[in-house]
Amino acid sequence: MRIGAHVRSDSDPIGFGEKLGADVIQMFVVDPQSWDKPTPHPLAAEIKASEIDVVVHSSYQINVASLNNRLRMPSRNAVAQQAKAAAELGAFGLVVHGGHVRSDAEMVEGFVNWRKLFERQQDKGGFAVPILIENTAGGNHAMARYFDDIGRLWDAVGDFGAGFCLDTCHAWAGGEELVGIVERIKGITGRIDLVHLNSSRDAFDSGADRHANFADGTIDPQLLAEVCRTADAPVILETPAEGVADDLAYLREHVG
């Protein structure tokens, strides 16, 4: 089992991972709040050669489901660009949030837009690394908050080899029970490629995307350990920096 954390400073991601004792790290290839085009990482060779596995998280403003051309088109370009940058680091995937639309009436077209992302990139030879779609915590018109909607999304993109990233905080805050969650998701997508193992600062079904360390959150740490045990996928902690080492130590102790 490969367990690690999101890198807090992208200037030396492998150094961060080694200090933490991580098997896998997650990093950005651009400022996550920007539309910047990725530039070569100065330590790309070291990152690619390291025994620590790498996954890249895409920038936050990407929303390929949107019906707004001024958001959807740059989002498609950003996914392709960041996937290419991820491949240059030897990453095993690019995590992309499911996104949202503005009303229930737009949901169907939002799923179609996700399919178009893969269709159009397929014509260009496909993405440089697998795209791992992540479930999200909030929003009434989200593509990947509720598992029924994830099923509709997978009907649209599953045959393109899309991967899935399960975030435990997002599922909990989004109103999906964590007991049996691995089996439920695999029943929908057939796969879990990555787990974001996070507790939540807020209550079940709050819709709030606010991560917490295991000792401070509202999710039973034993339940998080069970997700880690059963998912059969790399695990990334995105919990607050001051407690991430303790969270990693808890997993090492409780996950056989």
Side-chain angles (χ1 to χ4, degrees), residues 46-209:
E46 176 188 342
I47 295 168
K48 193 168 185 176
S50 173
E51 293 184 0
I52 297 176
D53 293 334
V54 176
V55 65
V56 171
H57 198 299
S58 67
S59 47
Y60 294 133
Q61 74 280 7
I62 288 174
N63 184 2
V64 300
S66 177
L67 275 62
N68 181 343
N69 287 340
R70 289 182 293 178
L71 177 55
R72 185 180 67 258
M73 300 308 292
S75 294
R76 286 178 180 167
N77 291 335
V79 171
Q81 291 167 358
Q82 292 176 35
K84 183 175 182 292
E88 291 168 355
L89 298 177
F92 63 82
L94 176 71
V95 178
V96 181
H97 287 169
H100 60 277
V101 291
R102 294 169 296 186
S103 69
D104 284 344
E106 293 184 348
M107 291 286 286
V108 170
E109 199 163 349
F111 297 127
V112 170
N113 284 339
W114 259 108
R115 182 174 181 86
K116 287 180 178 177
L117 171 78
F118 287 98
E119 286 178 337
R120 296 184 180 201
Q121 193 64 30
Q122 189 176 56
D123 293 339
K124 302 174 183 177
F127 289 106
V129 297
I131 303 303
L132 313 182
I133 303 173
E134 180 179 356
N135 61 305
T136 51
N140 294 324
H141 318 296
M143 299 290 100
R145 173 177 178 174
Y146 300 112
F147 285 12
D148 286 350
D149 291 326
I150 293 174
R152 297 166 69 192
L153 176 56
W154 234 253
D155 288 342
V157 304
D159 54 346
F160 289 96
F164 189 76
C165 173
L166 172 64
D167 188 302
T168 53
C169 171
H170 294 176
W172 169 268
E176 295 286 353
E177 295 284 355
L178 294 191
V179 174
I181 195 170
V182 168
E183 293 78 8
R184 290 171 60 212
I185 277 292
K186 287 188 175 180
I188 295 168
T189 66
R191 61 196 294 167
I192 295 175
D193 299 86
L194 180 68
V195 177
H196 285 169
L197 201 72
N198 307 306
S199 194
S200 173
R201 288 173 54 187
D202 296 277
F204 180 79
D205 203 20
S206 65
D209 180 7

Side-chain angles (χ1 to χ4, degrees), residues 20-42:
L20 191 63
D23 308 305
V24 55
I25 56 168
Q26 177 178 273
M27 59 182 289
F28 296 113
V29 291
V30 294
D31 179 338
Q33 305 292 349
S34 77
W35 288 106
D36 294 345
K37 185 175 180 179
T39 56
H41 196 289

